[in-house]
Amino acid sequence: MKDENDVIIYVGKAIDLHNRVRSYFQAGVSANYKAQHMAGFITHFSYHVTNNEIEAFILEDTLIKLHRPKYNIRLKDDKAYPYIRITVHERLPRILFARQRSKDKAKYYGPFMSNTRVREILALVHKLWPIRQCTKLFPRDFNKGRPCLNHHIGQCRAPCNRLFDEETYGRYVTEAERFIQGKTTPVLSRLKKEMAEASEEMKFERAAEIRDTILILEILNEKQKVDTGGEDRDIVALARDKTEALVEVFFVRDGKITGSEHFLMESDPQGDDGEILSAFIKQFYSEAAYIPKELSLISPPAEKDAIALWLSHLSERNVVINIPQKGEKRDMVLMAQTNAELTLAQFGAHIRNETERNRLALQEITDALGLGLRLTRIEALDISNTQGFESVGSMIVFEDGKAKKSDYRKFKLKGVIGPDDYAGIEEVLTRRLTRYRQNHTAFSKLPDIIFVDGGKGQITAAKKALTTLEMDVPVCGMVKDDKHRTRGLMYDGKEVTLPRTSDGFKLVTRIQDEVHRFALEYHRKLRTDTQVRSVLDDIPGIGPTRRKALLAHFKNIEAIRTANVEILSSVPTIDKKSAEAVYLFFQTNQ
């Protein structure tokens, strides 16, 4: 459905499209408040014909995510959630962090709500199982080079050098995968056996290390202590207030609740619970790496049978949707609903207040600049360098007053020599807009306004890039005072001030601080990497492996500089000849 400006305001599907479309325009036919309200804005529509309901589900989901129609129910937070990726298609599989699920032959687990949570799991996995983390390709790279640093710190058995048999390696990968699935009992049994063996052999330090790991796992197991009968399923419940709906999901794996997450949905006050649950399931499970055999819901979703068929198609096995009425499963659903109601009561008011503050802040900025448009997406640019060294650019994005970190981008400047921020801004914006013109997925949206960190010079540079590409986007500078704090905005040749206590001023400050932080962080990383290379890699006989070993042992360059030959040669992979080379280098380069 489209409005008079050809903007898509609703995406739907139906087996009988004629009757479905007609129902929106017949007075008194639809009891749905949203449908009646929406009909007044529909001026025309287009349609696609698919072969079956599954194809219709997939197309509907794609179009909603692409166009974000006003009258469709959507997840309020549509950022990309991380996954754990197991490269089962490789000769020696790896277990890695992944920012998105790709169509390759790897296995994915997730999505997880937090990057930190994924990294904690991976750290524990690599502590428990010596699974490689390198990027070598096998069998091509067997016996090429010496074992890496992970081998020397006990986190890899160097299968790349045939120091570990592939059959045992495969068993470790399988155990680690079961652990990621939430099946910790076999791991605990193995660790307790190893601890007993280490104690008998009087390897008390090793036994104590295993004991500490067991304690961590038992705490994890205690958090998952609710036993639900040994199967995998998701429990989905719903709580609502006047403007939001919150969906609570309990993830049950191997009969234990291994975690829970809540998701805010935009909600029509007159909307139906079944429609909200249906929208959530379609949007969430279309991206999920794992779909359990069963979904237990607090109430039936709209199109229940069609959704079950679609989920079965996605997971390539039968998926059942049930609404338990009694017994243990009903108790679990009610517990999930109670959690949803508590979470909404706790955070709902805060979320609404934050949303309102962001709306007012954007309106204040719009009014101050005299813009005749509604600000939704703001992109800010900044350049960072040290006397022209390793110049980098950053682009951050704020949508509806909130940082959208999934759209942040970094640029290593290619055509700028020396400390030239103006040329840097021009290059970054030119590259960003050119990729938009090329329909690059990561740059598929245009901003409503561009903020640059600086004044007239930076604004002129940005406008030059826009003129060259024959594009028209407002450009605004963020200026600072003598103490390097946000002072106001520069627009249309004039400085615009906002009250320092206003929400608009605070939003500009957040944007300016964030774009500067993001640029500085990237520049610092490149500068640090270059400094490490320029010092250690100039030493004869010191390559990447020995450099890593030295840094892992001494932590910084100054400690390496002051070490003698004996101390240097005590580092794994550093023989006496290499130690003498390092010592001599620093003695002659004081």
Side-chain angles (χ1 to χ4, degrees):
M1 305 292 190
K2 301 180 181 181
D3 65 11
E4 59 183 4
N5 298 316
D6 204 38
V7 174
I8 296 174
I9 60 174
Y10 182 73
V11 174
K13 65 184 181 315
I15 294 175
D16 190 331
L17 197 61
H18 179 270
N19 287 342
R20 174 72 181 273
V21 172
R22 186 176 60 180
S23 69
Y24 285 102
F25 303 99
Q26 290 183 311
V29 172
S30 175
N32 189 313
Y33 171 81
K34 181 181 74 175
Q36 292 175 352
H37 185 267
M38 179 179 69
F41 296 96
I42 300 169
T43 59
H44 58 292
F45 61 89
S46 60
Y47 63 90
H48 300 275
V49 177
T50 63
N51 292 318
N52 52 55
E53 283 188 273
I54 291 173
E55 289 183 6
F57 269 109
I58 295 169
L59 181 58
E60 180 190 37
D61 179 63
T62 301
L63 292 174
I64 289 172
K65 287 178 178 175
L66 179 63
H67 298 290
R68 299 176 61 83
K70 179 179 179 180
Y71 289 98
N72 281 100
I73 296 171
R74 302 190 307 271
L75 276 169
K76 292 194 73 171
D77 186 0
D78 61 353
K79 68 183 181 185
Y81 294 104
Y83 295 84
I84 291 175
R85 177 173 179 254
I86 304 179
T87 59
V88 292
H89 56 290
E90 294 182 331
R91 176 88 173 255
L92 296 171
R94 295 171 294 156
I95 301 180
L96 307 167
F97 178 99
R99 294 202 174 276
Q100 60 185 9
R101 185 182 180 187
S102 303
K103 292 183 178 179
D104 54 14
K105 296 178 181 178
K107 279 187 179 180
Y108 289 84
Y109 287 92
F112 295 87
M113 284 291 287
S114 160
N115 291 353
T116 303
R117 173 65 172 159
V118 175
R119 297 193 191 282
E120 286 175 349
I121 293 172
L122 290 177
L124 194 51
V125 164
H126 288 116
K127 182 178 180 180
L128 292 170
W129 294 278
I131 295 169
R132 73 183 182 98
Q133 302 176 54
C134 63
T135 57
K136 291 182 177 180
L137 298 176
F138 301 108
R140 185 194 72 183
D141 293 335
F142 276 128
N143 294 314
K144 286 189 178 179
R146 290 173 296 179
C148 66
L149 178 63
N150 284 328
H151 172 67
H152 295 288
I153 63 175
Q155 289 199 356
C156 181
R157 300 282 182 83
C160 57
N161 284 61
R162 307 284 192 173
L163 300 181
F164 192 58
D165 67 279
E166 292 186 42
E167 183 179 347
T168 306
Y169 185 92
R171 180 168 57 83
Y172 280 179
V173 172
T174 301
E175 285 184 4
E177 183 177 357
R178 288 174 181 163
F179 169 75
I180 291 167
Q181 292 171 348
K183 301 171 183 178
T184 59
T185 304
V187 182
L188 281 168
S189 300
R190 175 173 68 82
L191 288 175
K192 288 176 180 178
K193 182 179 178 182
E194 289 181 5
M195 182 176 68
E197 290 173 354
S199 297
E200 289 176 5
E201 296 171 7
M202 302 185 72
K203 298 178 180 178
F204 299 118
E205 288 185 5
R206 173 62 180 158
E209 183 181 339
I210 297 172
R211 178 204 61 201
D212 293 342
T213 304
I214 289 172
L215 288 173
I216 293 171
L217 285 175
E218 285 180 338
I219 291 170
L220 180 64
N221 222 22
E222 183 67 20
K223 290 179 181 178
Q224 303 167 355
K225 64 184 178 181
V226 182
D227 196 311
T228 64
E231 75 280 7
D232 290 359
R233 74 175 186 270
D234 287 356
I235 300 166
V236 184
L238 174 70
R240 300 179 62 183
D241 62 12
K242 293 180 180 179
T243 56
E244 276 99 24
L246 185 138
V247 177
E248 184 88 18
V249 185
F250 283 0
F251 304 104
V252 178
R253 302 294 180 261
D254 197 25
K256 294 184 177 69
I257 297 178
T258 59
S260 66
E261 302 291 357
H262 59 266
F263 302 87
L264 270 175
M265 307 285 290
E266 292 179 345
S267 172
D268 177 359
Q270 305 295 324
D272 180 73
D273 286 0
E275 186 181 1
I276 295 172
L277 287 170
S278 175
F280 169 77
I281 292 170
K282 286 184 283 186
Q283 292 175 61
F284 179 74
Y285 289 101
S286 66
E287 297 292 333
Y290 176 72
I291 301 174
K293 294 181 180 179
E294 181 181 335
L295 267 63
S296 296
L297 273 65
I298 189 67
S299 59
E303 307 169 296
K304 173 174 171 285
D305 294 338
I307 289 177
L309 181 65
W310 171 68
L311 291 173
S312 300
H313 170 77
L314 285 182
S315 62
E316 299 180 345
R317 53 180 166 74
N318 188 45
V319 175
V320 176
I321 297 177
N322 65 48
I323 295 82
Q325 300 299 315
K326 59 182 180 180
E328 177 268 334
K329 289 187 177 181
R330 179 64 177 175
D331 293 341
M332 293 299 295
V333 168
L334 291 175
M335 183 173 74
Q337 185 180 17
T338 300
N339 277 266
E341 291 168 351
L342 290 171
T343 304
L344 186 61
Q346 183 177 0
F347 297 111
H350 170 75
I351 293 166
R352 284 192 296 276
N353 291 339
E354 183 182 18
T355 301
E356 180 61 17
R357 282 197 303 271
N358 289 334
R359 187 191 67 79
L360 289 173
L362 290 169
Q363 189 60 53
E364 287 171 359
I365 294 171
T366 302
D367 294 342
L369 299 179
L371 298 173
L373 55 86
R374 178 177 178 269
L375 286 183
T376 298
R377 182 181 176 94
I378 299 172
E379 292 185 5
L381 309 176
D382 191 18
I383 305 298
S384 180
N385 63 69
T386 302
Q387 297 179 345
F389 173 72
E390 290 286 14
S391 294
V392 300
S394 67
M395 181 189 96
I396 67 163
V397 178
F398 273 60
E399 279 194 358
D400 296 321
K402 295 185 294 184
K404 190 177 183 183
K405 294 192 175 183
S406 61
D407 283 8
Y408 283 19
R409 296 292 178 265
K410 303 171 184 174
F411 300 85
K412 190 171 183 180
L413 300 187
K414 301 175 181 178
V416 178
I417 299 174
D420 191 343
D421 285 3
Y422 303 156
I425 289 288
E426 184 180 352
E427 179 184 325
V428 168
L429 190 54
T430 299
R431 285 164 61 183
R432 183 262 180 268
L433 295 174
T434 300
R435 290 175 187 175
Y436 168 78
R437 282 272 179 84
Q438 295 169 345
N439 295 317
H440 195 292
T441 305
F443 296 89
S444 60
K445 294 181 180 179
L446 273 182
D448 299 312
I449 193 169
I450 296 168
F451 282 6
V452 292
D453 190 29
K456 290 182 180 179
Q458 284 83 357
I459 294 171
T460 301
K463 286 184 174 180
K464 185 178 177 181
L466 287 161
T467 302
T468 302
L469 293 169
E470 297 180 344
M471 300 180 75
D472 185 20
V473 180
V475 179
C476 185
M478 298 179 289
V479 293
K480 294 182 179 179
D481 59 21
D482 295 338
K483 296 182 179 179
H484 211 64
R485 297 177 303 189
T486 302
R487 187 176 73 204
L489 297 171
M490 179 73 68
Y491 182 69
D492 202 19
K494 300 176 182 177
E495 185 169 329
V496 178
T497 57
L498 291 160
R500 298 187 69 87
T501 57
S502 68
D503 291 320
F505 183 86
K506 292 174 183 176
L507 177 57
V508 172
T509 302
R510 286 202 305 275
I511 293 172
Q512 190 168 29
D513 291 345
E514 178 68 358
V515 71
H516 183 65
R517 178 202 65 78
F518 191 56
L520 194 62
E521 181 183 85
Y522 181 40
H523 179 256
R524 187 182 293 120
K525 179 182 183 301
L526 291 179
R527 190 174 68 239
T528 301
D529 290 347
T530 304
Q531 287 172 345
V532 170
R533 284 196 300 273
S534 65
V535 175
L536 295 183
D537 287 357
D538 286 343
I539 304 174
I542 302 300
T545 301
R546 284 177 174 154
R547 173 166 59 84
K548 289 179 182 177
L550 286 167
L551 289 172
H553 184 83
F554 290 102
K555 308 302 182 188
N556 58 63
I557 297 294
E558 189 57 35
I560 300 172
R561 187 192 305 275
T562 57
N564 59 34
V565 173
E566 184 180 354
I567 294 174
L568 289 166
S569 59
S570 67
V571 178
T573 77
I574 306 297
D575 54 26
K576 188 173 182 180
K577 183 179 177 180
S578 299
E580 289 173 346
V582 174
Y583 180 77
L584 182 62
F585 176 85
F586 283 114
Q587 288 300 308
T588 56
N589 291 276
Q590 292 286 358

